[in-house]
Amino acid sequence: QVQLAESGGGLVQAGESLRVSCAASGFIISIRSMGWYRQGPGKERESVATISSGGSANYTDSVKGRFTISRDNAKNTVYLQMNNLKPEDTAVYYCNAIITTFSGRRTYWGQGTQVTVSS
């Protein structure tokens, strides 16, 4: 059974940095894309950043130049380095991965980690 475990959320002040991590575990054959989504208070879940197995990254406009997504394929782990955080970045951040197991390929989600940015 595949699980995604996030870590690294917390409370920071505006302008500070934070890094969140997500490790995939279980009987994994391969991982295609990995990514981070977030859901702020009263908002819908949105894509923040995604990264392909080859390292090609995409970002939503509001985080370009501030956030960096990376992955360690040997550890089945994806990271999101968040710099110059703003109060509007406050949200629950969810890890997402498209994973192939012996049962086939499907999308998996982590349980979420809270990131709170105070002004």
Side-chain angles (χ1 to χ4, degrees):
Q1 184 173 352
V2 172
Q3 291 186 327
L4 299 182
E6 296 132 335
S7 60
L11 171 64
V12 297
Q13 293 188 332
E16 294 185 339
S17 299
L18 202 62
R19 188 176 84 155
V20 290
S21 304
C22 172
S25 62
F27 294 102
I28 296 170
I29 296 174
S30 65
I31 300 179
R32 201 172 185 178
S33 67
M34 304 185 81
W36 289 93
Y37 290 68
R38 67 185 180 187
Q39 187 166 15
K43 298 181 180 180
E44 295 186 352
R45 189 175 298 190
E46 64 170 348
S47 174
V48 177
T50 60
I51 186 167
S52 70
S53 57
S56 178
N58 287 285
Y59 301 90
T60 191
D61 287 345
S62 62
V63 308
K64 286 180 180 177
R66 300 189 298 122
F67 290 11
T68 302
I69 189 171
S70 61
R71 62 189 283 175
D72 185 333
N73 291 330
K75 295 181 179 180
N76 291 334
T77 299
V78 62
Y79 307 94
L80 185 67
Q81 176 67 42
M82 302 180 286
N83 298 329
N84 189 22
L85 281 160
K86 303 177 180 180
E88 50 264 42
D89 294 319
T90 294
V92 178
Y93 284 71
Y94 296 92
C95 174
N96 163 287
I98 299 175
I99 297 174
T100 299
T101 67
F102 289 110
S103 299
R105 186 173 69 200
R106 54 157 285 195
T107 300
Y108 292 85
W109 291 89
Q111 79 287 353
T113 185
Q114 178 70 47
V115 172
T116 303
V117 185
S118 64
S119 58

